[in-house]
Amino acid sequence: MSLNALIDIDALSDQHIERIIDRSVALLNGAEPLIRSHIMANLFFEPSTRTRTSFEIAARRLGLTVINMDGPRSSMTKGESLIDTLATLHAMGVELAVLRHGQTGICHEILNHLPDGLALINAGDGCGNHPTQALLDAATLTSLGVAFRDAKIVIVGDLRHSRVARSNMALLSRLGVGNITLAAPEPWLPETVPDGVMVSQSSTLDDALDDADVVMMLRVQQERMDEGVDWAAYHADWGLTTQRLTRAKPDCWVMHPGPMNRGIEITDEVAGGAQSLVLKQVQMSVCTRMAIFESMLA
Ligand code: NCD
């Protein structure tokens, strides 16, 4: 008889107990599991809607088993280290961990301490990197036939805090983009750009947009700033409006990783307009994350 609830030992017949114990030992000794699937764990220590959901949907479409762990509700609040959590999950069979964390550089820090056989994907570390977002952005542009070498790609806004911008600079440069232009108020320009990346800077959005093929808007990350933001002034100088967009090429694509501050970084009209790729990026995010899983678990 199959077991449908295991509440206490009294619920188990002698045969159940015998079967479970025998099977446990057989599995430990290498017997083929009856259900074969990789297990991935989503570990999100910062809020997320689209990234977390997209990783989960991608995993499910590949038949992976998904474990969702909320940082604030896990044992880490009892002082367990991230490495211990990962080792514990791996000992239970998790082969791939997707990590989002507020601490810049955390993935690099833990890399050498990962248990053997546990793969790790950085889903965004503080102001560090967000490689899967950059890959899905590039896949979105590729699907539309954008020729990277000849393209002028403008990245606009809170570059200093943006892991999306950092990873995009690195990837777009690797893809041979000749003109990556950064446009931001002076205090929000990045302190450094990734090694080997050449960028131009523009001190106004209007100038930056001249002849652009792609404009990537960034969210203003107020939660990572000490100072307040004058939203109206920001919108007046740096918000992407339909009128401003006419400075770019007529077929210039508009991207935003989300979540958008509508009416601040971008108007409703531009976000919902024909040049906007916002939902195409989300759609591609599932495919790109599937492709990433395949390349890590195959
Ligand atoms: C970005 C992130 O979390 O880094 N969003 C995302 O992954 N879709 C950008 C942001 O939060 O501003």
Side-chain angles (χ1 to χ4, degrees), residues 217-219 254-261 265-266 278 281:
M217 303 305 295
L218 302 172
R219 183 175 64 88
V254 175
M255 308 183 90
H256 194 304
M260 291 182 278
N261 290 311
E265 298 120 21
I266 189 166
V278 171
Q281 289 170 269

Side-chain angles (χ1 to χ4, degrees), residues 197-218:
V197 174
M198 298 285 293
V199 294
S200 323
Q201 288 185 7
S202 184
S203 54
T204 73
L205 178 53
D206 293 296
D207 289 346
L209 287 173
D210 269 339
D211 253 355
D213 296 279
V214 177
V215 51
M216 293 183 165
M217 303 305 295
L218 302 172

Side-chain angles (χ1 to χ4, degrees), residues 8-175:
D8 55 26
I9 294 297
D10 290 348
L12 296 171
S13 67
D14 289 349
Q15 287 100 314
H16 280 138
I17 292 176
E18 191 184 27
R19 209 166 65 205
I20 291 169
I21 292 175
D22 285 355
R23 190 75 190 131
S24 306
V25 175
L27 285 165
L28 183 70
N29 291 330
E32 271 300 299
L34 298 178
I35 303 164
R36 190 162 179 84
S37 141
H38 295 284
I39 308 177
M40 73 84 107
N42 256 338
L43 283 102
F44 277 66
F45 294 88
E46 272 189 347
S48 167
T49 308
R50 70 211 77 220
T51 303
R52 176 180 169 140
T53 314
S54 140
F55 269 112
E56 176 158 359
I57 291 173
R60 289 182 188 275
R61 281 183 58 186
L62 290 176
L64 308 192
T65 299
V66 180
I67 309 297
N68 277 306
M69 291 200 42
D70 276 341
R73 300 214 327 246
S74 74
S75 274
M76 298 202 52
T77 54
K78 299 179 189 162
E80 183 171 76
S81 75
L82 184 53
I83 297 294
D84 279 338
T85 303
L86 291 171
T88 301
L89 290 171
H90 184 56
M92 294 180 200
V94 171
E95 293 158 279
L96 179 74
V98 174
L99 178 66
R100 167 165 291 193
H101 202 287
Q103 193 179 319
T104 306
I106 189 139
C107 291
H108 293 102
E109 275 169 41
I110 63 176
L111 205 55
N112 292 331
H113 309 283
L114 284 183
D116 264 359
L118 178 68
L120 177 70
I121 296 178
N122 181 1
D125 63 308
C127 302
N129 296 278
H130 194 352
T132 67
Q133 180 71 42
L135 288 161
L136 75 90
D137 288 345
T140 305
L141 293 174
T142 302
S143 74
L144 294 163
V146 171
F148 289 110
R149 283 197 178 277
D150 305 324
K152 174 179 178 183
I153 301 190
V154 185
I155 312 181
V156 183
D158 182 7
L159 283 134
R160 178 152 305 186
H161 301 105
S162 179
R163 53 202 178 198
V164 172
R166 197 173 169 76
S167 286
N168 260 312
M169 284 187 257
L171 181 62
L172 293 172
S173 157
R174 292 275 298 281
L175 293 172

